[in-house]
Amino acid sequence: MLHLVNKSPFERNTLEACLKRATKGSSILLYEDAVYAALQGTTLAAAMAQAAKTHEIYVLTPDLTARGLDAASVLDGVRPVDYDGFVDLTADKGTVQSWL
Amino acid sequence: MSYQVGGKTVEHDEEGYLVDIGQWSEDVAVMIAEAEKLPLSSEHWEVIHFLREYYTEYQIAPAIRVLTKALTKKMGEAKGNNKYLYELFPYGPAKQACKIAGLPKPTGCV
Amino acid sequence: MSVESDNSAEPKVKRFMYVNRKAPHGTVYALEVLEMVLISAMFEQDVHLTFLDDGVFQIKKGQNPSVLEMKDFSKTYRALDGYGIEKVFVEKESMEERGLSQDDLIIPVEIIGREELGALMESMDVVLSA
């Protein structure tokens, strides 16, 4: 299963809501303002690194680039994907849930 | 667009449904039915009042399948079926009965 | 009638979950989802309705939005049973965080834990959320 999150974790709790329910081994894609959750050095970094051990966490690179960020600023264990990768994930991971 | 009932003006939309369901009365129902060229019998009123009660309780107009099920429960199978309802309201319980009862178009009417 | 069918005689019934996470009157999401659920009932799919996070406020008893000149669609949840929608779940943690218990809810529901909810979601063919 694939969970989609698109809101900044510093403004909204949708990522937290997702992490509370996403089962072990499920995938989570961070896009739009949710890409800030994937960064090193934030107050969330430790929790995200932990989450990356039990879930496949992806981040959409065009949304990083647009915000002056890149794959090098992303936590270890978080996997950058482009739009094609996003499409593949939605096709391969089965059920999709958007945490709006 | 409006119905004129006893000197009062009751607004309706382009399909004849009341704009404000609070304006409904039995006189208004008679007026809508006249516009539909449908004389109302006691069997019609039974369905109209049932729809009003359903709306008051649930705040929606029931889909036809739900209406027939609820009518069967309350009045028995002879009155809780499509054929009976279409005989009373030839343009359909949704299109005609709800309209005359002053309800909006049924939710789940696809 | 079915939404889709394969070549076999039996139409495929899919497992649908509607996820309600928003409180009822501040935004239009709750009402929109409710209307979607009522319409989907016509397609005879295996519908699951869940309330979590602020979504549990949607089915709190005693709402009176008429003071805001808004429709009281909390009454409409009680019509779901008549529409054949019987699988209604509330997440225990969300309910308790908000100081609510089953007695505060307008309809009978099945209370499930957070982990169980996650697993249930995982078992769906389609999940729709607001």
Side-chain angles (χ1 to χ4, degrees):
Chain A
M1 157 157 209
L2 176 65
H3 297 272
L4 301 178
V5 179
N6 73 334
K7 298 292 191 298
S8 165
F10 303 106
E11 191 202 343
R12 299 272 299 276
N13 68 356
T14 58
L15 175 61
E16 187 192 343
C18 166
L19 287 172
K20 279 177 186 164
R21 284 98 184 188
T23 56
K24 261 186 198 162
S26 58
S27 301
I28 300 168
L29 174 71
L30 307 170
Y31 71 109
E32 295 174 1
D33 285 346
V35 300
Y36 294 117
L39 301 181
Q40 299 164 19
T42 74
T43 53
L44 279 174
M48 289 307 292
Q50 200 57 37
K53 289 179 185 164
T54 46
H55 301 80
E56 293 177 18
I57 300 188
Y58 299 87
V59 60
L60 192 64
T61 47
D63 282 325
L64 286 172
T65 309
R67 288 161 180 78
L69 307 164
D70 57 33
S73 44
V74 164
L75 288 160
D76 286 346
V78 173
R79 311 161 195 211
V81 289
D82 57 13
Y83 287 123
D84 286 344
F86 188 165
V87 173
D88 289 344
L89 285 172
T90 57
D92 297 343
K93 298 293 183 183
T95 310
V96 179
Q97 152 72 352
S98 289
W99 297 88
L100 299 172
Chain B
M1 285 170 285
S2 59
Y3 303 107
Q4 299 301 322
V5 184
K8 261 175 49 184
T9 302
V10 179
E11 298 286 324
H12 64 77
D13 68 12
E14 65 265 24
E15 294 178 274
Y17 292 87
L18 294 193
V19 172
D20 174 6
I21 74 153
Q23 287 196 307
W24 187 87
S25 66
E26 292 196 353
D27 290 341
V28 171
V30 170
M31 186 66 69
I32 302 172
E34 269 175 25
E36 300 270 319
K37 299 187 171 58
L38 187 73
L40 297 179
S41 67
S42 60
E43 285 81 12
H44 289 99
W45 282 111
E46 209 170 43
V47 176
I48 291 165
H49 286 300
F50 184 87
L51 283 168
R52 297 288 305 175
E53 284 163 27
Y54 188 95
Y55 190 85
T56 304
E57 190 162 353
Y58 300 118
Q59 299 292 301
I60 49 167
I64 171 100
R65 199 185 66 178
V66 178
L67 174 64
T68 53
K69 203 163 81 175
L71 279 172
T72 304
K73 210 166 153 187
K74 186 164 178 190
M75 301 176 191
E77 278 182 28
K79 291 183 172 179
N81 65 75
N82 281 347
K83 187 169 172 287
Y84 175 77
L85 289 172
Y86 273 92
E87 276 166 9
L88 287 178
F89 301 96
Y91 288 97
K95 275 207 159 71
Q96 247 178 348
C98 286
K99 191 189 289 183
I100 295 168
L103 270 50
K105 251 191 183 171
T107 303
C109 178
V110 282
Chain C
M1 182 184 163
S2 66
V3 177
E4 66 172 49
S5 56
D6 51 28
N7 291 328
S8 64
E10 286 295 308
K12 166 99 167 86
V13 173
K14 288 195 171 182
R15 286 166 67 79
F16 273 75
M17 180 186 278
Y18 293 89
V19 180
N20 287 289
R21 295 186 49 249
K22 308 272 198 226
H25 306 298
T27 62
V28 78
Y29 291 103
L31 179 56
E32 294 278 322
V33 171
L34 180 57
E35 288 185 343
M36 188 158 63
V37 168
L38 290 169
I39 289 165
S40 79
M42 297 298 108
F43 296 98
E44 298 184 354
Q45 300 295 298
D46 185 13
V47 173
H48 302 69
L49 191 56
T50 57
F51 296 89
L52 51 148
D53 296 332
D54 280 353
V56 298
F57 288 130
Q58 291 178 23
I59 51 172
K60 190 194 168 301
K61 275 181 192 164
Q63 296 177 45
N64 187 11
S66 67
V67 297
L68 309 175
E69 295 189 15
M70 285 162 71
K71 187 171 136 154
D72 183 10
F73 60 88
S74 72
K75 288 180 174 170
T76 308
Y77 294 100
R78 293 169 42 233
L80 288 169
D81 188 47
Y83 275 72
I85 295 178
E86 290 148 0
K87 297 177 180 174
V88 183
F89 302 88
V90 167
E91 190 194 69
K92 186 167 181 283
E93 289 85 343
S94 296
M95 192 174 74
E96 290 175 355
E97 281 161 14
R98 287 159 183 79
L100 299 175
S101 71
Q102 188 142 18
D103 292 342
D104 297 309
L105 306 179
I106 199 166
I107 45 169
V109 298
E110 191 175 331
I111 311 279
I112 59 173
R114 193 157 271 170
E115 209 165 306
E116 202 181 337
L117 180 89
L120 187 65
M121 189 181 280
E122 190 89 33
S123 74
M124 296 293 142
D125 295 305
V126 180
V127 179
L128 294 159
S129 179

